[in-house]
Amino acid sequence: MGYPKIIVNLKKIKHNAFIINKKCNDYGISVMGITKSFLADPIITQILVDSGIEFIGDSRIENLKKIEHIKIPKVLIRIPMISEAKDVVLISDISLNSEIKTIEALNSSSKLHNKIHKIILMIEMGDFREGILFNEIENILEKIKTLKHIDLIGVGTNFTCYGGIIPDGNKLKKFSEIVSFIENKLQKNLKIISGGNSSSLHLLGKVDFGKVNNLRIGEAIVLGQETAFGQKVKGCFQDTFILQAEIIELKLKENSLRAILALGKQDVDYEALIPLDGSIKVIGASSDHLIIDLSNSTTVYDIGDIINFRMGYFSLLRGMTSPYIKKELIY
Ligand SMILES: *Cc1c(COP(=O)(O)O)cnc(C)c1O
């Protein structure tokens, strides 16, 4: 099949998804499995669905389009562009939102296509990525109430993504209070309270999640690690995606044994590559060369040999997106 190549271990991913879904369910929390790291590949997505997960979410509408045939609620998790409103209402069942203008555009598109589009309103809790501010809430709720083709079914928030705000019991409590405030204004209970991502997993069983009844989980499922402290999730596999690259040059340079692999910044984030041979050191990369140091390895490598890596999340994202990297799914 050729190199570079990512080997995707479906069994291990399914195992991770099952473990995490069960753990969340045990605490009354549903899981939205996030598929962006593998571009919502239909086979891998089906694996998540088979594990019992309740929702699928992706940041790109193109990815959700690829899995239209899979029967599970699909959520667009990046707040939509007005220019894609039509696709959003036709392809996704639910979208996350924080701008009334966009919600109005979704309403118009829904009306045009005789649909009701469900939305989750994102609340800013200090991470300074998406989300409405507290003083906007009342105004925006009043406006949403007038939109006949929009169904506000939940609220959500994001932690650790941009501002590095790590969730804790206090932040979840504060978020729950805001949820109650919104439910009071609406005079109804909301179905989905989506209170975080892989960075909230470590809090399960340790703090009160309040009104939170859903987490959006990407990295913990695909790589078996949480994102607040980068710890392994108990019982999960980390070697789910293995990147293989070929040695194209091997020379002693200034007393160290250096190899060049046919792989570069165009394909991966080289800082997020972990060689399986722990004595190998990643030195650096250019657009299409990866330089590694083999001086300390007890294995004797040659030109044409293959080096294996585990991948960090940003390498995984870029690697799965690169058309130069072959993908092999193993069952
Ligand atoms: C990517 C993404 C997630 C998943 O985050 P992980 O840290 O991979 O669990 C959750 N929510 C939103 C809005 C995202 O964009």
Side-chain angles (χ1 to χ4, degrees):
M1 203 186 194
Y3 300 97
K5 169 160 80 184
I6 294 175
I7 298 180
V8 184
N9 190 312
L10 296 172
K11 257 199 204 106
K12 290 183 176 175
I13 294 169
K14 186 171 180 179
H15 171 90
N16 286 1
F18 179 83
I19 296 280
I20 286 166
N21 189 48
K22 177 161 187 336
K23 181 160 183 193
C24 289
N25 288 176
D26 284 349
Y27 291 100
I29 287 174
S30 68
V31 171
M32 190 185 299
I34 304 300
T35 52
K36 62 189 167 197
S37 65
F38 50 88
L39 289 66
D41 174 278
I43 295 175
I44 310 177
T45 303
Q46 185 65 51
I47 287 288
L48 300 200
V49 174
D50 292 346
S51 76
I53 275 171
E54 223 173 292
F55 305 88
I56 287 293
D58 201 292
S59 44
R60 319 263 170 166
I61 202 72
E62 294 91 334
N63 289 350
L64 291 180
K65 174 123 186 96
K66 293 199 282 187
I67 51 169
E68 265 188 306
H69 60 286
I70 299 181
K71 294 277 168 280
I72 188 166
K74 294 171 203 80
V75 186
L76 181 68
I77 61 167
R78 182 174 68 188
I79 53 172
M81 298 181 261
I82 288 178
S83 61
E84 64 182 351
K86 178 184 160 198
D87 286 341
V88 174
V89 303
L90 290 181
I91 296 167
S92 70
D93 301 288
I94 307 169
S95 62
L96 309 188
N97 283 273
S98 67
E99 290 288 358
I100 189 64
K101 265 194 182 170
T102 310
I103 298 169
E104 284 165 352
L106 294 171
N107 183 63
S108 304
S109 272
S110 298
K111 189 172 174 192
L112 209 59
H113 295 93
N114 208 8
K115 291 205 155 224
I116 304 284
H117 184 67
K118 301 190 180 93
I119 64 166
I120 292 175
L121 204 53
M122 293 300 279
I123 312 290
E124 157 63 34
M125 292 293 299
D127 198 49
F128 294 116
R129 209 178 69 178
E130 74 277 43
I132 60 171
L133 308 173
F134 187 74
N135 63 18
E136 289 181 276
I137 291 177
E138 281 189 72
N139 199 358
I140 219 165
L141 290 180
E142 283 309 312
K143 285 183 176 152
I144 290 172
K145 273 187 197 164
T146 66
L147 305 174
K148 298 259 176 330
H149 292 261
I150 291 293
D151 183 12
L152 175 61
I153 61 158
V155 294
T157 193
N158 216 11
F159 293 111
T160 332
C161 267
Y162 176 71
I165 291 289
I166 291 179
D168 57 30
N170 267 334
K171 293 198 185 73
L172 289 173
K173 182 159 172 266
K174 211 171 130 207
F175 177 59
S176 290
E177 284 166 9
I178 296 176
V179 174
S180 295
F181 174 79
I182 292 173
E183 288 182 330
N184 262 329
K185 291 274 164 221
L186 294 170
Q187 306 260 332
K188 68 166 186 180
N189 285 332
L190 293 164
K191 277 190 221 105
I192 303 178
I193 313 297
S194 188
N197 48 36
S198 294
S199 68
S200 292
L201 274 182
H202 72 288
L203 296 174
L204 284 173
K206 296 203 185 103
V207 307
D208 184 1
F209 272 60
K211 295 192 76 91
V212 171
N213 64 11
N214 174 269
L215 291 175
R216 304 176 306 276
I217 308 286
E219 183 162 342
I221 292 174
V222 291
L223 295 175
Q225 60 202 21
E226 55 85 27
T227 53
F229 306 103
Q231 301 293 312
K232 294 175 183 172
V233 179
K234 214 170 131 197
C236 285
F237 293 108
Q238 286 74 44
D239 55 348
T240 41
F241 292 81
I242 298 295
L243 172 66
Q244 301 191 314
E246 182 172 337
I247 300 178
I248 53 172
E249 190 197 275
L250 181 68
K251 292 185 194 302
L252 203 58
K253 292 181 184 174
E254 291 173 351
N255 296 327
S256 60
L257 186 60
R258 292 286 178 89
I260 297 177
L261 307 182
L263 183 78
K265 285 185 183 171
Q266 192 160 5
D267 310 293
V268 288
D269 171 9
Y270 73 91
E271 286 168 345
L273 287 180
I274 307 116
L276 292 193
D277 176 344
S279 59
I280 293 179
K281 239 171 77 187
V282 177
I283 302 291
S286 64
S287 47
D288 31 43
H289 298 76
L290 181 77
I291 302 165
I292 60 173
D293 190 317
L294 299 172
S295 308
N296 297 322
S297 182
T298 49
T299 309
V300 180
Y301 292 99
D302 202 353
I303 318 295
D305 283 352
I306 303 303
I307 305 290
N308 295 295
F309 300 90
R310 282 205 296 117
M311 311 174 80
Y313 196 67
F314 288 108
S315 260
L316 178 64
L317 267 175
R318 214 186 289 175
M320 291 303 284
T321 309
S322 172
Y324 304 105
I325 298 187
K326 284 90 184 158
K327 284 87 188 176
E328 183 180 335
L329 308 184
I330 58 169
Y331 293 84

